[in-house]
Amino acid sequence: MADKEKLYETLGELLFVIAKADGIIQNEERDSLNELLKNHAWASEIKWSFNYEESKQSSVEETYNKVINFCHSYGPTPEYNEFIDAMKFVAASSQGIDQDESEIINSFSSDLIERFQKDMDKLMG
């Protein structure tokens, strides 16, 4: 499997985490996911992993940890900005971004920035 393909499957997992953050995936979140992916080059991979996590009834915490671990091993990439925008788009679709969703979005950003800063410090030190 190509690394980029796995990266976008990870986005599907991350969008599952955001949609499920409040305990249930709303129809508005599904609709916004479909809208977001309408012309996306990796739409089938993203949807596949979203649906897979949902069918497994995966926990938000386990899935989030799996995403972060993959992103740490993948390393820095500009696609993470797209991931954050996608999370905000899906989260905002159902009565705005709630506290749980906001915490996940902020956590994703800070977890990656913190990790990559430590990696840079090691390289520079």
Side-chain angles (χ1 to χ4, degrees), residues 72 75-76 109-125:
H72 284 176
S109 303
S110 63
D111 284 350
L112 291 182
I113 290 168
E114 185 179 311
R115 169 60 188 263
F116 297 141
Q117 186 60 53
K118 286 179 186 173
D119 291 347
M120 287 298 297
D121 291 346
K122 285 181 193 171
L123 289 173
M124 304 307 273

Side-chain angles (χ1 to χ4, degrees), residues 69-82:
N69 288 334
F70 175 81
C71 293
H72 284 176
S73 66
Y74 191 87
T77 180
E79 279 87 356
Y80 296 142
N81 289 326
E82 176 188 351

Side-chain angles (χ1 to χ4, degrees), residues 27-123:
N27 288 332
E28 295 89 349
E29 292 165 327
R30 286 183 203 288
D31 293 345
S32 69
L33 178 67
N34 290 329
E35 177 67 24
L36 181 71
L37 300 180
K38 191 167 43 180
N39 296 311
H40 198 286
W42 297 94
S44 64
E45 289 78 8
I46 296 166
K47 282 183 184 179
W48 181 89
S49 61
F50 181 97
N51 292 335
Y52 177 78
E53 295 302 332
E54 184 179 16
S55 71
K56 276 184 35 184
Q57 298 182 339
S58 300
S59 82
V60 167
E61 187 176 336
E62 282 178 29
T63 307
Y64 177 79
N65 288 335
K66 183 168 63 167
V67 167
I68 289 298
N69 288 334
F70 175 81
C71 293
H72 284 176
S73 66
Y74 191 87
T77 180
E79 279 87 356
Y80 296 142
N81 289 326
E82 176 188 351
F83 285 23
I84 292 166
D85 290 343
M87 284 190 291
K88 289 177 181 175
F89 185 79
V90 170
S93 67
S94 178
Q95 301 159 356
I97 299 174
D98 69 22
Q99 184 175 346
D100 291 334
E101 293 164 335
S102 181
E103 286 174 10
I104 291 169
I105 293 166
N106 293 334
S107 180
F108 179 78
S109 303
S110 63
D111 284 350
L112 291 182
I113 290 168
E114 185 179 311
R115 169 60 188 263
F116 297 141
Q117 186 60 53
K118 286 179 186 173
D119 291 347
M120 287 298 297
D121 291 346
K122 285 181 193 171
L123 289 173

